[in-house]
């Protein structure tokens, strides 16, 4: 075959694979095979000196630029008016509805990345630019060419400017930081820094993603609705983030915003709000613009999750595993509705890696259910100094043992903080749920009754408690009762209560499901443990080591001897009005369950799980990428339940 012909063939093939991989997220070829055809193309291009305009090798970006050229936007790019609470949102929606009748509103995530436009002519990528001041931006064509999900060619042949956001996925950021000499502080800065970098190789190395949501300029086409515009983007191969809702009433819009606010921490991208737009373009035209904003869209902003503050001091906390966790004390800041005074630094290795020092300005991030975390240094000051590595346990004075990035106090039976934290965790609501066992009480029991392990709790008698100060009749009786009442835990609660490093409640549930009994769990091999979803090698080894440690084995046996009687899930039928007795069909993929697990779980609720949707079906549960069963359910008017609602019942 002619070399040029082969080049053309390879280009078509590679561009198809790029589209499958980067846009659809559905690779249809092994990495190694891909590399082979890519290498062949590079070789042929070198041999022939021919690099065709649509060659994917042009997306590598290997020329360092001297400066950014200016790019004047064909159409002014407006920013969005913001609202920070529901009453502002309601007054906007009511205003629109009163003037033009009840409207349908589209809802999209408000990405926290770098806004950009890309121009196509005759179906070809021409240039890319940052938003800049809305009139003039910077030409970042070479940088954007390194973003593999951005199409070089589209079906539409007229001149068109598309608008989107360049972002670094959080998983990509974490991966990048694992080996980076200088870890990137956050995903937004990482994306903006990558695009606005004169060396496109740097842009390429950051593995950015881009998601599209607007068409500020188009020749030879008029959109009727925003939903149609989004379909246009998708059908031309532009990656569109897989979230879009269209709602007409305020209550559903607000419910949706609340839902997003709850799940936003679990997304792989940063978002800082929800964009709400009037769907109908005729109404948009009538609404028009202020000098700054379109009147047909608003951005509902969530409260900031990330801010900078000064780090004043670091104290070391000893946890239930003996691990020392550095806790940073910072100048108090208001973050996402709470005052943050302390934030974790994970371990000593983390301090070194992030180069965090006392008196430096640091980034603090707060997630919904997690303690605030120090992300990195914003800047050092003249007074900045290194955080000292402790040599002795701050609680019991034992000499510290180092294990990788972590420091440990080895004094298992004698270190008060460790003992208290273990008992506290064991007794906590989601573990054994022993009421009335506060941190203070635990300290009292340890000091006065010599309670050193969770097993010792079951040996406490009412008369022993009565002998203590502050323990009146009723209180002693209640505590002894709630300790004794904890003896029949569900299996997962017992696993969670043991406090194995890396085993949270979710993982405990997974382990309970997978192994079914304590005996099987204790004899599981590392490789059997890694078969459980979400359990990596490190956690698997932690679990294995825990169950092969004499201290732990003795403790578990002691607990069983003291009358702990684990309640296994198969003996544990439960009911729920929406599931019990219902005929249910499952479609799509679920984050927390395999199909089999979900079936078992639904059956535990007394549901009958069948495979096809008919009029007799009571409910279709819908995961990601649902199949035709979802459409069928809608056609037949069968009730559907989405994963988030389902999780509220099952998890
Ligand atoms: Zn200690």
């Amino acid at each position: 075959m002619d070399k040029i012909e082969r080049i053309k063939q390879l280009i078509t093939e590679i561009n198809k694979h790029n589209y499958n991989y980067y846009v659809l997220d559905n690779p249809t070829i092994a990495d190694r095979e891909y590399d082979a055809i890519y290498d062949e193309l590079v070789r042929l291009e070198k041999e022939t000196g021919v690099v065709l305009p649509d060659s994917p090798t042009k997306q590598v970006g290997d020329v360092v630029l001297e400066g950014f050229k200016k790019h004047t936007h064909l159409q002014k790019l407006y920013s969005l008016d913001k609202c920070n609470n529901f009453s502002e949102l309601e007054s906007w929606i009511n205003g629109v509805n009163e003037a033009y009748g009840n409207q349908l509103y589209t809802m999209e995530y408000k990405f926290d990345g770098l806004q950009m436009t890309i121009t196509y002519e005759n179906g070809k990528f021409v240039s890319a630019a940052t938003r800049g001041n809305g009139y003039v931006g910077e030409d970042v064509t070479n940088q954007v060419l390194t973003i593999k999900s951005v199409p070089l060619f589209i079906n539409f042949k007229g001149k068109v400017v598309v608008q989107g956001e360049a972002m670094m996925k959080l998983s990509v950021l974490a991966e990048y930081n694992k080996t980076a000499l200088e870890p990137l502080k956050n995903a937004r800065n990482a994306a903006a820094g990558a695009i606005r970098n004169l060396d496109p190789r740097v842009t390429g190395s950051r593995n950015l993603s881009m998601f599209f949501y607007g068409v500020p300029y188009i020749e030879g086409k008029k959109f009727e609705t925003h939903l149609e515009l989004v379909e246009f983007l998708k059908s031309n191969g532009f990656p569109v983030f897989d979230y879009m809702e269209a709602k007409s009433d305020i209550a559903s819009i607000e419910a949706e915003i609340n839902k997003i606010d709850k799940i936003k921490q679990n997304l792989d991208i940063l978002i800082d709000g929800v964009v709400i737009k009037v769907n109908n373009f005729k109404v948009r035209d009538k609404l028009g613009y202020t000098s700054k904003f379109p009147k047909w869209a608003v951005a509902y902003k969530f409260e900031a999750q990330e801010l900078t503050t000064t780090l004043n001091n670091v104290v070391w906390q000893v946890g239930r595993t003996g691990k020392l966790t550095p806790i940073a004390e910072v100048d108090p800041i208001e973050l996402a509705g709470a005052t943050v005074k302390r934030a974790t630094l994970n371990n000593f290795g983390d301090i070194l890696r992030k180069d965090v020092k006392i008196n430096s300005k640091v980034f603090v991030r707060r997630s919904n259910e997690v303690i605030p975390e120090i992300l990195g240094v914003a800047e050092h000051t003249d007074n900045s100094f290194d955080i000292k590595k402790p040599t002795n346990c701050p609680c019991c004075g034992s000499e510290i043992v180092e294990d990788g990035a972590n420091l440990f106090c080895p004094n298992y039976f004698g270190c008060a903080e460790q003992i208290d934290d273990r008992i506290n965790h064991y007794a906590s609501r989601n573990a054994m749920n022993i009421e009335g066992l506060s941190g203070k009480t635990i300290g009292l029991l340890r000091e006065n009754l010599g309670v050193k392990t969770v097993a010792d709790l079951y040996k406490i008698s009412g008369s022993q408690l009565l002998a203590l100060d502050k323990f009146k009749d009723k209180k002693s009786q209640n505590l002894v009762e709630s300790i004794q009442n904890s003896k029949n835990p569900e299996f997962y609660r017992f696993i969670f209560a043991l406090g194995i490093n890396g085993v949270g409640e979710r993982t405990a549930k997974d382990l309970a499901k997978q192994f079914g009994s304590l005996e099987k769990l204790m004899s599981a091999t590392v490789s059997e443990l890694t078969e459980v979803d979400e359990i990596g090698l490190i956690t698997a080894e932690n679990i294995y080591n825990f169950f092969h440690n004499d201290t732990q084995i003795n403790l578990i046996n002691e607990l069983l001897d003291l009358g702990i009687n684990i309640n296994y899930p198969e003996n544990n039928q439960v009911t729920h009005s929406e599931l019990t007795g219902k005929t249910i069909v499952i479609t799509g993929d679920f984050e927390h369950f395999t199909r089999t697990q979900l079936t078992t779980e639904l059956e535990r609720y007394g549901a009958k799980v069948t495979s096809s949707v008919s009029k007799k079906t009571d409910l279709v549960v819908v995961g990601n990428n649902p199949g035709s069963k979802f459409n069928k359910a809608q056609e037949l008017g069968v009730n559907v339940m989405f994963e988030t609602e389902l999780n509220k019942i099952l998890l």
Side-chain angles (χ1 to χ4, degrees):
M1 191 193 296
D2 179 75
K3 279 182 185 170
I4 301 295
E5 276 311 304
R6 178 65 183 153
I7 286 179
K8 284 184 186 163
Q9 210 178 49
L10 288 167
I11 289 173
T12 311
E13 203 173 327
I14 293 169
N15 283 338
K16 186 188 82 197
H17 290 307
N18 281 351
Y19 180 75
N20 286 341
Y21 186 89
Y22 293 107
V23 180
L24 301 183
D25 210 9
N26 179 28
T28 50
I29 183 173
D31 287 354
R32 205 170 352 146
E33 296 167 75
Y34 177 90
D35 291 345
I37 58 174
Y38 191 92
D39 291 345
E40 184 185 352
L41 176 63
V42 172
R43 185 168 46 80
L44 287 175
E45 284 180 346
K46 228 180 231 168
E47 281 173 26
T48 58
V50 175
V51 181
L52 294 173
D54 54 344
S55 171
T57 61
K58 288 174 84 173
Q59 286 185 300
V60 177
D62 48 7
V63 199
V64 180
L65 307 176
E66 286 174 4
F68 288 108
K69 282 189 298 184
K70 294 268 176 279
H71 174 100
T72 306
H73 295 297
L74 278 172
Q75 175 74 46
K76 177 180 171 185
L77 302 174
Y78 289 87
S79 56
L80 289 178
D81 203 359
K82 291 170 187 61
C83 51
N84 297 305
N85 54 53
F86 283 163
S87 79
E88 288 171 14
L89 178 67
E90 284 164 20
S91 75
W92 175 70
I93 293 176
N94 286 331
V96 173
N97 288 350
E98 273 159 28
Y100 300 103
N102 275 11
Q103 295 299 312
L104 186 65
Y105 296 87
T106 60
M107 303 180 70
E108 294 156 288
Y109 292 151
K110 185 174 184 304
F111 301 124
D112 197 3
L114 186 70
Q115 244 193 70
M116 292 195 308
T117 60
I118 304 183
T119 307
Y120 290 80
E121 270 179 280
N122 299 317
K124 286 182 194 165
F125 180 112
V126 177
S127 64
T130 60
R131 179 177 175 278
N133 60 13
Y135 296 99
V136 179
E138 284 166 335
D139 185 307
V140 288
T141 302
N142 289 287
Q143 286 75 7
V144 171
L145 277 171
T146 68
I147 303 176
K148 302 261 174 30
S149 59
V150 171
L152 296 174
F153 286 78
I154 61 175
N155 304 326
F156 184 74
K157 299 298 178 230
K159 184 165 187 174
V160 59
V161 178
V162 293
Q163 184 179 19
E165 200 108 349
M167 325 202 37
M168 194 170 193
K169 288 187 178 172
L170 299 176
S171 56
V172 172
L173 178 71
E175 198 57 36
Y176 180 93
N177 277 349
K178 269 186 198 164
T179 54
L181 287 177
E182 273 185 60
L184 299 167
K185 281 154 200 160
N186 69 41
R188 182 187 47 247
N189 296 358
I195 294 291
R196 299 193 66 265
N197 196 301
L198 288 169
D199 185 350
R201 280 169 301 191
V202 174
T203 322
S205 74
R206 301 248 174 116
N207 256 322
L208 299 185
S209 303
M210 206 171 158
F211 296 106
F212 293 83
Y213 46 75
V215 181
Y217 181 92
I218 187 162
E219 279 175 8
K221 186 167 177 64
K222 241 179 141 42
F223 297 110
E224 298 278 323
T225 66
H226 187 61
L227 292 173
E228 183 196 340
L229 179 152
V230 170
E231 277 315 308
F232 168 84
L233 289 171
K234 284 187 190 167
S235 66
N236 277 284
F238 292 103
V240 172
F241 198 84
D242 192 18
Y243 171 84
M244 160 73 79
E245 283 286 340
K247 307 262 181 205
S248 50
D249 64 303
I250 290 180
S252 324
I253 292 173
E254 291 179 351
E256 192 63 25
I257 290 174
N258 285 332
K259 199 172 102 186
I260 297 169
D261 196 11
K262 283 205 191 89
I263 59 133
K264 66 177 187 291
Q265 295 304 325
N266 307 327
L267 297 173
D268 197 17
I269 53 161
L270 284 183
I271 65 168
D272 59 357
V274 182
V275 177
I276 300 139
K277 296 173 182 164
V278 172
N279 184 44
N280 187 321
F281 273 54
K282 285 208 182 81
V283 175
R284 285 193 186 185
D285 287 344
K286 288 182 196 154
L287 282 161
Y289 297 81
T290 69
S291 61
K292 280 188 189 147
F293 311 120
K295 292 182 185 168
W296 43 263
V298 292
Y300 183 93
K301 292 268 282 180
F302 296 128
E303 285 179 88
Q305 301 283 318
E306 199 178 304
L307 282 175
T308 59
T309 184
T310 301
L311 191 156
N312 296 322
N313 189 26
V314 167
V315 295
W316 295 84
Q317 252 174 22
V318 193
R320 60 176 189 264
T321 59
K323 192 187 133 184
L324 268 65
T325 302
I327 305 291
E329 297 175 343
V330 298
D331 276 351
I333 40 166
E334 290 301 318
L335 199 54
T339 307
V340 172
K341 295 177 191 160
R342 289 149 74 86
T344 179
L345 273 158
N346 298 315
N347 56 40
F348 191 72
D350 200 35
I351 292 177
L352 295 179
R353 205 169 54 82
K354 291 174 177 165
D355 187 33
V356 174
K357 295 177 199 285
I358 288 166
N359 292 335
S360 294
K361 281 251 181 214
V362 292
F363 287 101
V364 179
R365 182 176 177 84
R366 179 168 177 263
S367 311
N368 282 344
E369 283 148 40
V370 189
I371 0 167
E373 184 190 11
I374 304 274
L375 292 176
V377 177
E379 58 181 343
H380 293 304
T381 64
D382 293 342
N383 299 324
S384 292
F385 61 91
D386 287 344
I387 295 160
K388 250 177 80 182
K389 179 161 86 176
T391 51
N392 295 79
C393 174
C395 172
C396 68
S398 301
E399 210 169 298
I400 292 302
V401 177
E402 262 186 88
D403 181 9
N406 291 313
L407 308 175
F408 286 91
C409 165
N411 189 4
Y412 187 90
F413 290 106
C415 184
E417 269 190 53
Q418 278 187 53
I419 294 170
D420 290 6
D421 196 39
R422 272 197 292 271
I423 298 177
N424 202 12
H425 174 78
Y426 182 85
S428 65
R429 203 160 55 88
N430 298 335
M432 302 296 271
N433 194 17
I434 303 176
E435 266 175 59
L437 204 54
S438 67
K440 247 193 197 148
T441 307
I442 294 169
L444 222 64
L445 301 181
R446 173 175 41 75
E447 280 166 23
N448 296 295
L449 304 180
V451 171
K452 283 195 170 142
T453 70
V454 297
D456 292 341
L457 290 176
Y458 296 98
K459 301 171 194 162
I460 300 171
S461 70
S463 55
Q464 272 181 310
L465 284 179
L466 273 177
L468 299 180
D469 275 358
K470 294 178 194 166
F471 270 88
K472 297 275 178 296
D473 227 359
K474 186 80 186 141
K475 196 175 169 186
S476 311
Q477 199 191 330
N478 285 348
L479 183 55
V480 172
E481 260 175 30
S482 63
I483 290 172
Q484 294 303 320
N485 284 345
S486 71
K487 279 185 172 175
N488 298 297
E490 288 165 81
F491 186 27
Y492 84 86
R493 284 179 177 271
F494 184 72
I495 301 172
F496 178 54
L498 290 173
I500 306 165
N501 209 356
V503 178
E505 197 186 351
R506 172 83 27 88
T507 307
K509 284 181 179 175
D510 291 344
L511 287 167
K513 257 182 224 147
Q514 184 88 2
F515 293 98
S517 76
L518 182 61
E519 213 179 5
K520 282 188 191 148
L521 175 62
M522 288 181 76
S523 58
T525 63
V526 170
S527 88
E528 281 166 352
L529 288 162
T530 55
E531 279 166 27
V532 178
D533 256 10
E534 311 264 325
I535 293 188
L537 192 60
I538 294 175
T539 305
E541 281 174 352
N542 281 341
I543 299 168
Y544 180 88
N545 291 336
F546 186 93
F547 288 123
H548 289 78
N549 173 300
D550 285 341
T551 308
Q552 304 302 349
I553 295 171
N554 292 339
L555 179 70
I556 291 168
N557 288 333
E558 196 182 356
L559 285 169
L560 297 177
D561 288 344
L562 284 161
I564 297 288
N565 181 22
I566 296 168
N567 197 349
Y568 291 107
E570 60 263 33
N571 315 325
N572 196 13
Q573 283 290 333
V574 275
T575 58
H576 189 279
S577 60
E578 292 186 61
L579 305 178
T580 308
K582 298 289 157 73
T583 303
I584 300 182
V585 173
I586 303 171
T587 179
D589 306 321
F590 294 80
E591 203 185 329
H592 300 299
F593 304 95
T594 64
R595 276 299 175 88
T596 324
Q597 284 170 346
L598 185 55
T599 305
T600 315
E601 193 64 6
L602 291 171
E603 283 168 354
R604 199 162 72 80
Y605 277 85
K608 186 178 161 203
V609 178
T610 60
S611 57
S612 65
V613 180
S614 74
K615 285 218 160 120
K616 286 181 188 158
T617 310
D618 294 308
L619 180 69
V620 175
V621 295
V622 182
N624 276 324
N625 307 314
S628 59
K629 290 172 189 174
F630 179 40
N631 300 334
K632 189 80 185 288
Q634 287 177 312
E635 268 167 39
L636 295 176
V638 173
N639 280 339
V640 298
M641 184 185 280
F642 292 97
E643 190 173 6
T644 39
E645 301 163 63
L646 183 69
N647 288 346
K648 277 186 206 150
I649 301 175
L650 300 186
L651 297 182

